[in-house]
Amino acid sequence: KVTLTANNKVKSVTIHDAYGKLVETKKYNAKARSNNFEWKPITGLSGGTYLITIESEEGTYSNKVLYIK
């Protein structure tokens, strides 16, 4: 699992594989937003490099993550 803490409230998170294919999207309504995000890979996800993009109230942040199965 991947745990991230943002300086601002998280609005949405998208995860793409190394080829740019969308793997997962999570959107948070105003009441459910927090500064923490935890990603547990979906069942059957292959090991590899993934790009996690977090949209917060103050901007967008992207980071590559290596998932080892």
Side-chain angles (χ1 to χ4, degrees):
K1 77 180 175 182
V2 175
T3 304
L4 300 169
T5 301
N7 291 333
N8 301 290
K9 304 282 186 192
V10 174
K11 293 167 67 174
S12 68
V13 177
T14 56
I15 300 164
H16 291 84
D17 67 13
Y19 301 102
K21 180 182 174 188
L22 180 64
V23 173
E24 189 174 347
T25 299
K26 290 187 177 190
K27 295 192 179 211
Y28 300 91
N29 64 37
K31 290 183 181 180
R33 290 180 190 162
S34 76
N35 292 35
N36 298 311
F37 166 72
E38 185 174 289
W39 176 51
K40 294 179 184 175
I42 56 176
T43 303
L45 188 66
S46 300
T49 302
Y50 293 87
L51 180 67
I52 298 178
T53 302
I54 300 171
E55 182 185 358
S56 75
E57 295 173 342
E58 296 295 322
T60 303
Y61 170 78
S62 294
N63 195 25
K64 286 185 182 179
V65 174
L66 180 60
Y67 172 57
I68 300 172
K69 192 168 186 178

